[in-house]
């Protein structure tokens, strides 16, 4: 069994290990760590963040971190140092978590979600024409949608904006305590909660949270957690659609969001603490170490990408006429799966196109009518271009 201190790590700086790079440019830092881990033939690397930390690169590590709740504990993890968060309101290992969920669940039934959906849609401002700043637009749009979903639009809009403003700045700005601002937000939450507890006629999220012990803190924490994640996902989705207008159709938007969350995940890193020593593929990871998983790294993991390209492009490459089929798949992706445009782009008859599509489906075992197959094809071809 090897000691974890022998694990690969990105270059350190004298005196502060990886802390400075972690604060100022974390993505290149973890990208370098992942590259070193892969070339050393392991799927974890080490970081020096004031306490021992280990970051996993692939799906197996993520699965372990997110499912082995006894070993990987939320308590004491990184979000604890950001006052906006609470080390996991969604702490699955917190005492009474199960009971609490069942207390809240009746409030989150389908009908409730549909009502919220209608309300958030109505709050969404129109997308401007021409050139505009996607991040600024998304920021304003998400503030309005959150206000609608949580408070029926009754939260003081200026205060909500000021409360969430530090989350738009780079680390360590979000970690600085702001007791006065938080006190004003708590007072506004109490005012709105009183109305919901004493009267009737509110069916927003605050009406569900207000009667629960600690419910107002949960409203505050989840507002913060919801705000910059959703804002960034929306801004990147707009930017992505501006680059690839052929995907701008309601039936493709689900796939676009998935691709955006893969490439630019707003929750780029999650953390846990090890509750015991753990043997991971021949390496002893010490109890108390930070265990980090990264959707950013796994979304860009070459091993997982090779799996996908093999699954879709492999069977085509193995048959006669495979190159033609592959060009057909490419043209379908480039036209947002418009059969008319694809046929004209390739200069073939509609029946020939249908025949080729059936062959692609038979070879890969995936129906091209399904949005998820279409997004997988898009992804596989993009990845192949990048690799090539
Ligand atoms: C694109 C949208 C979003 C993404 C990508 C995202 C991603 C994440 C990730 C990766 C975590 C850490 C999970 C863990 O390691 O256990 C997290 C935590 C959390 N998320 Fe989200 N999230 C999104 C939207 C939202 C929304 C809309 C809400 C609430 C309405 C929300 C509420 C929370 C809360 C309360 C936490 C726990 C925060 C804490 O540590 O105290 N998230 N999210």
């Amino acid at each position: 069994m090897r000691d974890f201190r022998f694990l690969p790590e990105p270059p350190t700086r004298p005196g502060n290990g990886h802390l400075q790079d972690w604060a100022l440019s974390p993505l290149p830092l973890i990208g370098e760590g992942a590259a070193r881990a892969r070339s050393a033939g392991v799927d974890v690397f080490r970081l020096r963040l004031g306490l021992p930390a280990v970051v996993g690169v692939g799906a197996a590590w993520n699965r372990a971190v997110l499912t082995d709740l006894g070993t990987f504990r939320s308590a004491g993890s990184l979000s604890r140092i950001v006052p906006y968060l609470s080390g996991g309101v969604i702490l699955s290992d917190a005492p009474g978590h199960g009971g609490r969920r069942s207390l809240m669940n009746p409030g989150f039934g389908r009908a409730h979600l549909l009502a919220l959906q209608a309300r958030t849609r109505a709050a969404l401002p129109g997308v401007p024409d021409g050139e505009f700043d996607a991040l600024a637009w998304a920021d304003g749009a998400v503030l309005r949608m959150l206000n609608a979903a949580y408070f029926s639009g009754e939260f003081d809009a200026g205060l909500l904006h000021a409360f969430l403003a530090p989350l738009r700045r780079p680390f360590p700005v979000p970690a600085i305590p702001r007791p006065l601002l938080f006190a004003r937000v708590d007072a506004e939450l109490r005012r709105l909660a009183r109305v919901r507890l004493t009267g009737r006629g509110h069916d927003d999220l605050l009406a569900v949270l207000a009667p629960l012990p600690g419910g107002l803190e949960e409203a505050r924490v989840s507002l913060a957690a919801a705000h910059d994640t959703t804002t960034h996902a929306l801004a990147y989705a707009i930017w992505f659609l501006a680059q690839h207008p052929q995907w701008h159709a309601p039936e493709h938007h689900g796939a676009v969001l998935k691709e955006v969350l893969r490439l630019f995940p707003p929750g780029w890193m999650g953390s846990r603490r090890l509750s015991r020593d753990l043997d991971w593929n021949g390496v002893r990871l010490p109890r108390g170490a930070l265990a980090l998983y990264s959707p950013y790294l796994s979304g860009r993991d070459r091993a997982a990408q090779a799996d996908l390209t093999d699954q879709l492009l492999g069977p085509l490459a193995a048959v006669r006429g495979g190159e033609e089929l592959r060009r057909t798949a490419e043209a379908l992706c480039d036209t947002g799966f418009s059969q008319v445009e694809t046929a004209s782009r390739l200069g073939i008859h509609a029946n020939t196109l249908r025949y080729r599509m059936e062959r692609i489906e038979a070879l890969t075992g995936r129906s091209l009518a399904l949005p998820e197959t279409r997004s997988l094809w898009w992804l596989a071809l993009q990845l192949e271009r990048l690799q090539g």
Side-chain angles (χ1 to χ4, degrees):
M1 188 64 52
R2 295 173 73 195
D3 187 283
F4 105 109
R5 279 170 297 193
F6 291 105
L7 280 177
E9 61 179 334
T12 52
R13 289 182 192 273
N16 71 31
H18 296 113
L19 271 174
Q20 182 181 334
D21 291 308
W22 176 261
L24 297 180
S25 49
L27 297 182
L29 177 76
I30 60 171
E32 180 59 30
R36 290 183 181 210
R38 284 293 183 215
S39 55
V42 290
D43 65 352
V44 283
F45 64 92
R46 175 185 181 205
L47 285 181
R48 299 167 197 247
L49 300 175
L51 71 166
V54 59
V55 187
V57 178
W61 173 261
N62 291 2
R63 201 168 297 123
V65 171
L66 295 171
T67 56
D68 181 354
L69 303 182
T71 303
F72 297 92
R73 315 283 296 196
S74 303
S77 61
L78 275 187
S79 77
R80 193 85 192 124
I81 56 175
V82 179
Y84 280 91
L85 303 175
S86 76
V89 156
I90 49 171
L91 268 187
S92 39
D93 47 306
H97 177 78
R100 185 139 183 98
R101 277 190 59 157
S102 53
L103 210 65
M104 292 178 74
N105 274 344
F108 291 110
R110 186 177 155 72
H112 197 94
L113 284 174
L114 287 177
L116 286 181
Q117 194 179 49
R119 194 167 307 162
T120 47
R121 276 208 181 126
L124 184 69
V127 181
D129 284 331
E131 220 169 275
F132 66 98
D133 180 333
L135 188 57
W137 179 83
D139 190 26
V142 169
L143 279 181
R144 289 185 54 173
M145 289 192 288
L146 286 175
N147 203 343
Y150 276 79
F151 313 114
S152 307
E154 293 164 10
F155 200 103
D156 178 320
L159 179 58
L160 192 57
H161 185 271
F163 172 60
L164 297 168
L167 291 174
R168 297 175 201 111
R169 310 268 306 279
F171 204 76
V173 178
I176 300 168
R178 293 183 166 74
L180 289 179
L181 183 60
F182 275 52
R184 283 175 62 208
V185 168
D186 286 346
E188 177 75 345
L189 283 172
R190 281 196 300 274
R191 178 182 78 80
L192 295 170
R194 261 196 307 276
V195 182
R196 280 146 185 82
L197 289 171
T198 50
R200 287 187 184 280
H202 280 95
D203 61 350
D204 47 26
L205 285 173
L206 188 62
V208 179
L209 289 165
L212 302 175
L216 296 194
E217 192 201 352
E218 293 196 11
R220 196 189 65 218
V221 169
S222 64
L223 263 180
H227 172 255
D228 74 326
T229 44
T230 317
T231 300
H232 284 96
L234 192 54
Y236 269 120
I238 290 173
W239 175 80
F240 183 95
L241 288 170
Q243 311 282 318
H244 306 286
Q246 75 273 27
W247 289 91
H248 190 11
E251 70 272 24
H252 296 318
H253 286 166
V256 167
L257 270 179
K258 273 192 188 165
E259 179 63 348
V260 161
L261 292 174
R262 179 184 77 82
L263 284 172
F264 316 106
W268 57 278
M269 182 66 86
S271 69
R272 299 289 187 273
R273 294 290 284 274
L274 278 174
S275 68
R276 60 177 181 88
D277 288 349
L278 174 70
D279 296 340
W280 183 262
N281 296 337
V283 182
R284 167 70 49 94
L285 306 178
R287 173 168 186 259
L290 274 175
L292 303 169
Y293 73 94
S294 169
Y296 174 83
L297 289 180
S298 38
R300 290 160 188 259
D301 181 27
R302 284 294 161 96
Q305 295 175 4
D307 236 32
L308 176 65
T309 39
D310 287 356
Q311 267 180 44
L312 292 183
L313 295 164
L316 269 54
V319 296
R320 263 198 24 223
E323 186 47 37
E324 212 165 52
L325 296 179
R326 176 217 152 80
R327 274 202 305 276
T328 306
E330 245 164 22
L332 282 164
C333 282
D334 289 346
T335 58
F337 283 79
S338 153
Q339 294 191 28
V340 176
E341 266 186 66
T342 302
S344 102
R345 188 177 285 207
L346 296 173
I348 56 176
H349 193 268
N351 288 340
T352 314
L353 175 61
R354 260 196 300 280
Y355 168 74
R356 287 191 193 171
M357 288 172 71
E358 279 165 21
R359 277 202 76 202
I360 294 173
E361 290 179 326
L363 285 165
T364 57
R366 287 178 185 275
S367 158
L368 289 169
L370 297 174
E372 61 266 27
T373 310
R374 295 176 172 194
S375 57
L376 286 180
W377 264 109
W378 154 267
L379 191 51
L381 290 165
Q382 291 285 318
L383 294 172
E384 213 216 9
R385 275 175 205 159
L386 288 176
Q387 283 158 10

